Amino acid sequence: MHPFVHDVPASRVVFGPGRRAEVPAEVARLGATSVLLVAGDDLPVGDEIADALGRVLTRRFTEVVMHVPVEVAARAVEEARSAAVDAVVAVGGGSAIGTAKAIAKESGLPIVAVPTTYAGSEMTPIWGLTENRRKTTGRDPRVLPKVVIYDPELTLTLPASLSADSGMNALAHLVEGLYAPDVSPLAMLTAQEGVRALASGLPKVARNPADLAGRSEVTYGAWLAGWTLGTTSMGIHHKICHTLGGTYDLPHAPTHSAVIPYAAAGNSTYAPAAVAALEAAFRAAGREVDHAAGALWDLRHEIGATEALADVGFSPEDVRPAARIVVDGRPVNPRPVDLAVAEAVIEAARLGHRPSTDLI
Ligand code: NAD
């Protein structure tokens, strides 16, 4: 048993099909009487929640942009200020929740989050903003949503490809949590259970996106993944994805899907406990495992998630400059990250072949 610190900010989690109907009650429970709703106008459930909120809804902010550009954040903060609301309800994926967090960061307003993807932002005190093609993130307990309502029915409309990529995004939080230097014994168990749930549920969703039991299993895994992301320090994988999203404008979930098997492979000999936990979790989900990185690749392949950075427009000449940004960001990672390591992981992710137990 090695020493640890377990320091987890609390949030209330309401889970189950149909439970989006409880948004007004949860808002009332916070004592809020005037709400700003953050929900893009492409999501029909935004209208449904707006109707349910009725007179408590003061204003709706629909300008939801991935990686939250600072100009958009400033407009969202101004909307909340001028409408004098006392709570924010965010409905959507990580982009909508990230916009609500930008408001909370400035105002301290409480957030009720209703996630519709598996990205996990709703469970973390992490905010992210993008300015001049550089993404900055930080931790602030004020941005952690006070209440999270997980309604697996909301993910039924998530297209199959985005379901697969978003599921791999959740898996990436769990993989990096398992080998994080600050993972507590409880977080280790939680992350392992999250991997099991995703490895079991994602193939069901891939076979039948309308399978509510499979959707529930994946939503459950995504909750555990978001919690893991919020309670541990992420390593080389997240630093690479953050760089590729912020500087190269690559899409969030597909990028995570493309990179994670290679981050795991690169770390495998440096993180034996994480590798053992991952392999056990895949086996508990009934999957065949030769090694952890290979099992991640097999799952990704089976569910039809994004397999190569080349497929999302990343060019070979960008590998080295991106690797340099990653190294400069000094990721906390089991394997020390120098230019050769960062380049090896990014190049392998660009190509997308099944990894061996170690990359370089
Ligand atoms: P997203 O929120 O940008 O959504 C992707 C697309 O899917 C959008 O067009 C959205 O309208 C659509 N969509 C969402 N839910 C849907 C549904 N149920 N049915 C149909 N369409 C739906 O993507 P994301 O991957 O959820 O979030 C990515 C963003 O979140 C990135 O900016 C990332 O950095 C951030 N993020 C932050 C944290 C954190 O802890 N701060 C964690 C994870 C992700």
Side-chain angles (χ1 to χ4, degrees):
M1 197 78 222
H2 45 73
F4 63 89
V5 173
H6 184 78
D7 179 7
V8 181
S11 58
R12 176 178 162 87
V13 173
V14 176
F15 187 102
R19 298 201 77 165
R20 64 189 179 280
E22 294 170 39
V23 170
E26 291 296 333
V27 167
R29 203 172 165 278
L30 289 175
T33 55
S34 171
V35 158
L36 175 77
L37 173 65
V38 177
D41 43 23
D42 56 336
L43 276 188
V45 67
D47 298 340
E48 184 189 325
I49 302 277
D51 289 346
L53 284 167
R55 286 164 42 155
V56 176
L57 178 66
T58 302
R59 215 169 274 181
R60 176 168 174 178
F61 188 80
T62 57
E63 193 184 355
V64 171
V65 183
M66 196 175 276
H67 306 309
V68 199
V70 286
E71 311 78 48
V72 175
R75 283 194 284 276
V77 170
E78 177 53 24
E79 282 288 306
R81 196 200 56 76
S82 64
V85 296
D86 51 14
V88 180
V89 173
V91 181
S95 301
I97 293 166
T99 308
K101 285 177 164 183
I103 298 171
K105 181 171 175 288
E106 297 305 316
S107 64
L109 286 170
I111 300 173
V112 175
V114 187
T116 63
T117 69
Y118 307 125
S121 176
E122 64 282 352
M123 288 304 298
T124 82
I126 304 167
W127 53 264
L129 292 167
T130 304
E131 185 170 23
N132 298 329
R133 299 174 67 80
R134 283 268 171 153
K135 187 168 173 183
T136 311
T137 60
R139 288 181 186 245
D140 183 341
R142 299 207 306 174
V143 310
L144 177 75
K146 296 280 176 291
V147 184
V148 180
I149 301 180
Y150 284 107
D151 185 337
E153 286 176 3
L154 296 182
T155 64
L156 289 169
T157 53
L158 203 56
S161 63
L162 188 50
S163 300
D165 285 338
S166 196
M168 291 304 295
N169 182 191
L171 208 42
H173 304 328
L174 296 163
V175 171
E176 292 233 299
L178 282 170
Y179 58 58
D182 49 2
V183 65
S184 74
L186 183 59
M188 194 100 190
L189 288 173
T190 305
Q192 196 171 332
E193 167 65 356
V195 173
R196 187 208 56 75
L198 292 174
S200 166
L202 283 169
K204 295 174 191 159
V205 168
R207 279 194 297 275
N208 176 13
D211 176 353
L212 186 58
R215 290 287 189 182
S216 296
E217 213 172 359
V218 177
T219 305
Y220 164 61
W223 166 45
L224 302 183
W227 185 84
T228 303
L229 171 65
T231 54
T232 56
S233 299
M234 296 287 110
I236 186 172
H237 169 88
H238 279 74
K239 194 62 82 183
I240 289 174
C241 293
H242 174 116
T243 301
L244 299 180
T247 304
Y248 296 91
D249 215 20
L250 298 193
H252 179 80
T255 301
H256 275 268
S257 177
V259 174
I260 190 58
Y262 313 101
N267 278 324
S268 59
T269 51
Y270 291 73
V275 166
L278 266 174
E279 292 178 357
F282 276 111
R283 290 199 181 97
R287 299 189 65 80
E288 279 184 20
V289 180
D290 56 350
H291 57 89
L296 284 165
W297 191 95
D298 292 344
L299 177 67
R300 181 179 82 172
H301 188 67
E302 180 179 338
I303 66 176
T306 300
E307 297 205 279
L309 289 175
D311 295 343
V312 287
F314 190 67
S315 1
E317 58 270 24
D318 288 331
V319 172
R320 177 152 297 185
R324 213 175 286 284
I325 299 174
V326 169
V327 173
D328 290 347
R330 298 163 159 267
V332 176
N333 192 61
R335 180 179 201 154
V337 180
D338 58 17
L339 198 57
V341 169
E343 263 192 90
V345 174
I346 297 172
E347 176 62 6
R350 192 181 69 76
L351 298 171
H353 304 146
R354 193 175 193 276
S356 59
T357 42
D358 201 0
L359 278 189
I360 59 169

